[in-house]
Amino acid sequence: MNKKQKIMLGRILASAVLLVGAVLVPATGAVRLAVFLVPYAVVGWDILWKAVRNIAHGQVFDENFLMALATVGAFFTGEYPEAVAVMLFYQVGELFQSYAVGRSRKSIASLMDIRPDYANIERDGTLVQVDPDEVAVGDAIVIKAGEKIPLDGVVLEGSSMVDTAALTGESLPRAVQPGDDVISGCINQSGLLRVQVTKAFGESTVAKILDLVENSSAKKAKAENFITKFARYYTPAVVIAALLLAVLPPLVLGGGWADWVHRALIFLVISCPCALVISVPLSFFGGIGGASKQGILVKGGNYLEVLARTETVVFDKTGTLTKGVFNVTVIHPDDCSEAQLLELAALAESYSDHPISRSLKEAYGKEFDASRVSGVEELSGRGVRAMVDGRQVCAGNDKLMEEIGVSWHPCHHVGTTVHVAVDGVYAGHIVISDEVKPDAAQAVAALKTQGVQKTVMLTGDAKAVGEAVAEQLGLDEVHTELLPADKVTQVEHLLTEKSQKGKLAFVGDGINDAPVLSRADIGIAMGAMGSDAAIEAADIVLMDDKPSKIATAIRIAKKTLRIVHQNIVFALAVKALVLVLGAAGVANMWEAVFADVGVSVLAILNAMRALKSKD
Ligand code: ADP
Ligand code: MG
């Protein structure tokens, strides 16, 4: 509880004691009024003040106005204890609300905890702490045990266990040693690490995540927009209805003014829409927070709405369902040595970030003089073209070879074939193979239990490879040998094919599939392996690259929406019931207060469930 909330609690308690005292004091007339005005002022002065101030600003109809009108009215009709009690309970509800919102903010803030405060950098042989912003790419920083890793980089020296829980929800720490990548926001648990920084702070993983989370509330879900609009029309409508209720029946039926004014006041108390106004955004907020605890970053409440209705999930293959780490199976050179062919391919690929390129460089494993390679062109979905030692080298698939008019020959080994051509002459091929991610099959199966009707894989890889993976994972549909543009066409086709209600999600690593990510109803990107473009284009980012998190995300989205709907239906139903009873003269002021506060508290408690991401 913060200071403001503590003061409010103090006011509530003081007012409650004073109210009990006022009820016990046997005063009459003006003295009795004064005795009740004291607890009323203690607990409600700020509401009255806000109501007056809002009227001065031309914003008449808000909940402060409703409460002020109802309670001042009750004083006029002589219901002093009721007037104080209405204000008292209203403030209890408000306090509860601010506490609940504070709690969810805090758990989102615990994610914000990943923001590093400083980096240790070596200057003239001593360590100095500097702002992470001041560290340049290529600088070496030192991370002691227990410190947060401030910037993305590669380990130069030392080995340690790294806790990635804040980013990925993964509870097991990861072992790192020289040569491994580390990402900012993780905690270095055991050893001293010297790390060479690979990205400036503004570009670092942690800066990107914080940016995402901070902006996520800006994108409001439909249900949230509905509530805002609803409140705008609702309050004036209620005030007018109350006015009519106070005036019309006595005029038409004659007499009984006090009774109808009283009913109108009760009507006002009941109609306060706070339960809805606060609990709906709080639920979405909770859902986003709960997802982020699992390493799933959702860029806005609206995406939870779409995700909950997802019926088709389309996957990219490389890096999404498979690890994107290829092993070289065989090297078949035409008229050079195996080592020479691998060197040519690795050099040609040296400037690309494609998983195939990374793997070939890894297989080559040697340093080389960067000036040997120039004029690099990436041909997405096909391969690369580059000048190596003054010769033009093309490395890629069958399509690329056909495009440049080189006659190639197929390989009997199953796997992804990288053909190499030098100055338009075929030089041989390298067959590489990738493994499916350990949770991929389970991820596909889990989607079915979350109501996903169809799972599809799109890949630029060869037919044999694509179909083998699809079969192994139990996917419903597979389309192979696609260029990036063909993937967009396929997704568009699937979009027209599916039912009106169901939504389509595309999951990719963003290496040449960013256009598809934005074309789908909802784009999900692999955050760790994925490219920056993917994280930008996607609506949801999986920090740990695990496809099984998609089903988790859908489950959280469904739960959040269920809570939102429960709250809307429950609050409206109780309000409607008590409104009718109040207008009919059956419900009294006390019941009205309890109905209002009770509904708010229950709705808020229900909304807080969204924050719990487990179960
Ligand atoms: P996926 O659809 O599985 O993510 P891509 O669209 O990135 O795959 O690539 C499709 C195919 O194009 C690859 O299987 C490979 O044959 C070829 N290819 C793409 N990029 C490269 C590259 N850098 N080097 C060699 N071959 C490549
Ligand atoms: Mg890809």
Side-chain angles (χ1 to χ4, degrees):
M1 230 184 230
N2 62 27
K3 203 170 148 213
K4 230 168 120 193
Q5 291 165 342
K6 279 186 191 143
I7 294 175
M8 193 65 231
L9 184 65
R11 281 170 57 195
I12 288 170
L13 292 176
S15 168
V17 171
L18 288 168
L19 175 62
V20 172
V23 173
L24 296 177
V25 168
T28 49
V31 180
R32 181 160 182 265
L33 176 61
V35 169
F36 278 101
L37 277 178
V38 174
Y40 178 71
V42 166
V43 80
W45 63 266
D46 54 332
I47 301 292
L48 294 178
W49 172 238
K50 275 187 219 156
V52 171
R53 208 182 44 193
N54 285 349
I55 291 173
H57 290 166
Q59 286 178 308
V60 180
F61 298 115
D62 67 351
E63 51 202 71
N64 296 308
F65 177 74
L66 282 182
M67 281 301 130
L69 188 66
T71 51
V72 171
F75 269 108
F76 275 104
T77 58
E79 292 174 287
Y80 304 160
E82 285 86 342
V84 181
V86 167
M87 200 49 106
L88 195 64
F89 284 115
Y90 177 70
Q91 293 284 44
V92 170
E94 291 287 293
L95 176 65
F96 192 77
Q97 222 173 77
S98 90
Y99 181 66
V101 173
R103 276 259 319 253
S104 353
R105 282 255 156 74
K106 219 179 256 157
S107 62
I108 298 225
S110 75
L111 189 84
M112 301 291 181
D113 233 22
I114 56 179
R115 183 192 296 281
D117 308 315
Y118 60 87
N120 303 315
I121 191 161
E122 280 172 57
R123 288 220 177 112
D124 311 323
T126 54
L127 276 189
V128 275
Q129 288 194 352
V130 298
D131 197 301
D133 250 337
E134 293 171 23
V135 181
V137 173
D139 280 353
I141 55 170
V142 173
I143 304 137
K144 297 176 202 156
E147 283 183 335
K148 218 171 282 160
I149 298 174
L151 295 129
D152 297 358
V154 187
V155 178
L156 293 172
E157 273 170 48
S159 58
S160 177
M161 299 301 278
V162 174
D163 176 0
T164 62
L167 293 169
T168 63
E170 180 63 68
S171 50
L172 284 181
R174 196 166 66 93
V176 295
Q177 49 192 14
D180 286 347
D181 288 329
V182 287
I183 51 175
S184 47
C186 303
I187 312 267
N188 176 22
Q189 286 189 324
S190 40
L192 187 76
L193 290 176
R194 257 190 84 215
V195 167
Q196 181 168 38
V197 175
T198 52
K199 278 184 192 158
F201 184 67
E203 298 290 304
S204 68
T205 308
V206 85
K208 291 227 168 85
I209 294 176
L210 291 172
D211 209 50
L212 279 184
V213 177
E214 275 158 18
N215 292 322
S216 67
S217 46
K219 293 199 176 161
K220 284 200 174 166
K222 268 206 212 101
E224 270 184 272
N225 288 331
F226 162 75
I227 296 300
T228 323
K229 274 201 213 110
F230 176 81
R232 200 178 312 144
Y233 295 105
Y234 175 82
T235 318
V238 163
V239 173
I240 291 166
L243 209 63
L244 293 179
L245 189 64
V247 177
L248 277 189
L251 283 183
V252 176
L253 306 170
W257 282 93
D259 180 37
W260 287 103
V261 169
H262 185 213
R263 287 189 199 184
L265 292 174
I266 291 176
F267 188 88
L268 280 181
V269 173
I270 303 162
S271 55
C272 180
C274 7
L276 284 181
V277 172
I278 185 70
S279 79
V280 171
L282 189 66
S283 308
F284 279 110
F285 204 62
I288 292 175
S292 64
K293 279 198 220 158
Q294 300 272 324
I296 303 161
L297 297 178
V298 183
K299 290 197 190 168
N302 50 337
Y303 301 122
L304 287 178
E305 257 173 337
V306 179
L307 200 57
R309 289 192 286 149
T310 297
E311 283 181 2
T312 312
V313 177
V314 183
F315 293 94
D316 177 49
K317 179 180 75 76
T318 314
T320 303
L321 287 172
T322 65
K323 290 182 181 164
V325 181
F326 293 83
N327 290 314
V328 172
T329 319
V330 286
I331 304 178
H332 286 163
D334 257 22
D335 58 2
C336 56
S337 73
E338 291 191 5
Q340 277 171 323
L341 188 67
L342 182 60
E343 178 174 19
L344 274 178
L347 259 54
E349 300 267 10
S350 59
Y351 286 98
S352 165
D353 260 339
H354 194 280
I356 292 182
S357 314
R358 292 194 211 175
S359 307
L360 286 175
K361 276 178 274 179
E362 179 85 24
Y364 174 59
K366 280 181 246 167
E367 295 286 320
F368 61 90
D369 181 1
S371 66
R372 290 174 64 188
V373 187
S374 63
V376 181
E377 259 180 288
E378 283 206 47
L379 310 160
S380 32
R382 288 157 297 166
V384 293
R385 175 164 36 208
M387 297 301 289
V388 178
D389 300 333
R391 295 186 298 170
Q392 189 186 59
V393 178
C394 292
N397 55 13
D398 311 357
K399 277 205 190 94
L400 179 63
M401 292 298 118
E402 261 145 43
E403 229 177 82
I404 60 170
V406 167
S407 63
W408 51 278
H409 47 85
C411 189
H412 58 276
H413 282 273
V414 180
T416 304
T417 311
V418 179
H419 299 287
V420 182
V422 180
D423 283 335
V425 180
Y426 193 62
H429 52 246
I430 301 172
V431 181
I432 54 182
S433 68
D434 195 2
E435 276 169 57
V436 298
K437 290 187 183 171
D439 67 331
Q442 179 234 327
V444 173
L447 285 175
K448 294 278 166 170
T449 65
Q450 289 300 333
V452 170
Q453 322 244 307
K454 195 194 238 177
T455 52
V456 183
M457 185 175 88
L458 303 180
T459 178
D461 210 340
K463 193 161 187 262
V465 180
E467 284 178 352
V469 171
E471 164 130 27
Q472 189 184 350
L473 299 181
L475 290 152
D476 297 327
E477 225 177 277
V478 54
H479 301 273
T480 56
E481 302 185 6
L482 303 170
L483 292 177
D486 303 331
K487 293 188 186 171
V488 178
T489 318
Q490 283 292 345
V491 163
E492 273 168 356
H493 178 72
L494 286 163
L495 278 168
T496 53
E497 200 175 68
K498 70 179 170 51
S499 76
Q500 276 287 307
K501 231 178 87 239
K503 297 285 175 192
L504 180 144
F506 179 80
V507 196
D509 61 355
I511 307 235
N512 70 44
D513 51 23
V516 204
L517 279 172
S518 19
R519 185 67 190 81
D521 291 323
I522 192 156
I524 305 176
M526 297 291 148
M529 167 124 183
S531 65
D532 297 350
I535 295 176
E536 203 91 330
D539 309 311
I540 294 181
V541 180
L542 307 178
M543 285 316 299
D544 54 4
D545 290 4
K546 283 194 185 148
S548 55
K549 288 287 168 74
I550 302 162
T552 312
I554 295 182
R555 200 197 67 220
I556 293 175
K558 284 194 165 160
K559 180 173 163 192
T560 306
L561 265 100
R562 213 161 42 233
I563 291 174
V564 167
H565 291 145
Q566 280 164 1
N567 278 348
I568 292 179
V569 170
F570 170 67
L572 289 182
V574 174
K575 296 257 144 158
L577 178 72
V578 188
L579 275 177
V580 171
L581 292 180
V586 180
N588 66 23
M589 194 65 103
W590 291 103
E591 280 151 3
V593 174
F594 282 118
D596 182 47
V597 176
V599 171
S600 299
V601 169
L602 287 178
I604 290 167
L605 282 179
N606 196 24
M608 301 279 284
R609 288 197 306 130
L611 201 55
K612 284 213 227 97
S613 54
K614 296 265 154 69
D615 78 69

